[in-house]
Amino acid sequence: LRVVPTAAALPGGVRMEALAVLCFGLALTLLTAAHAQTVQRRAGRTTELAERLEATNGELRRRVAERESFAVVMRESEQRYRDIYENAIEGIFTTTPRGRFLSANPSLVRMLGFSAEAELSAAVEDIGRQLYVDPARRAEFVCQVAANGTVQDFEAEARRRDGSTIW
């Protein structure tokens, strides 16, 4: 007589294979639930990150629009200043503390007998010595600027390119 092994029955008649299938099913259910929770957490984080990113992008768009608006205002203001500077009948200029021209408007260039700002800047290296009839007046002017940050109603006799003087 030959005995062929068969699945052993557990108490209550439950077979081993059925128990193995149940354990595997339970493990698979637990893994699926854990995976679902991970996906849900990641989805929540992704949503949160997307919302934060959108808010940041909105703020950046607002700042860019603000800067573009500011740039337009600055260009308009600069153009108005340039128009006043270029068309004023008074001589307007800026110099270094040592007396070199940084800029001079067309009226000053003409008053001093030059044809272009570049020509004036190239010819005059020290306005106190070369243009002021009384160089001490340049020193007074520099002192007033240093003390007050501005100068008003300051008059000085200046020497033109041809040697004549103007007030």
Side-chain angles (χ1 to χ4, degrees):
L1 187 75
R2 193 175 146 154
V3 178
V4 177
T6 60
L10 291 176
V14 178
R15 294 183 156 270
M16 265 309 219
E17 290 101 3
L19 186 59
V21 168
L22 284 175
C23 287
F24 178 74
L26 180 61
L28 190 57
T29 301
L30 290 174
L31 286 173
T32 303
H35 178 70
Q37 282 182 336
T38 301
V39 167
Q40 191 175 16
R41 273 196 310 271
R42 285 183 183 162
R45 277 189 251 141
T46 301
T47 301
E48 179 186 328
L49 288 174
E51 289 169 356
R52 286 180 26 206
L53 182 60
E54 185 57 39
T56 301
N57 283 341
E59 175 64 17
L60 288 174
R61 280 191 292 275
R62 186 192 64 74
R63 287 182 184 183
V64 166
E66 185 178 284
R67 285 187 181 171
E68 287 172 350
S69 175
F70 180 72
V72 167
V73 169
M74 286 298 296
R75 279 192 298 276
E76 290 170 354
S77 176
E78 187 175 279
Q79 186 58 47
R80 282 193 299 275
Y81 168 78
R82 175 65 48 200
D83 289 344
I84 291 169
Y85 181 80
E86 294 290 330
N87 298 310
I89 59 172
E90 296 86 8
I92 302 172
F93 63 95
T94 57
T95 66
T96 65
R98 293 184 178 207
R100 288 203 56 95
F101 279 104
L102 295 173
S103 68
N105 73 340
S107 290
L108 183 69
V109 171
R110 282 190 303 276
M111 284 182 219
L112 295 176
F114 292 90
S115 59
E117 181 183 0
E119 182 184 18
L120 172 65
S121 295
V124 179
E125 295 178 1
D126 179 358
I127 66 169
R129 186 177 48 78
Q130 291 175 268
L131 295 183
Y132 281 79
V133 171
D134 178 6
R137 293 291 288 154
R138 168 69 180 171
E140 289 175 37
F141 180 84
V142 170
C143 286
Q144 283 186 29
V145 169
N148 306 319
T150 185
V151 176
Q152 289 184 316
D153 302 322
F154 184 88
E155 293 184 12
E157 189 176 12
R159 191 171 291 109
R160 294 173 39 99
R161 183 179 193 180
D162 64 6
S164 63
T165 61
I166 58 171
W167 282 92

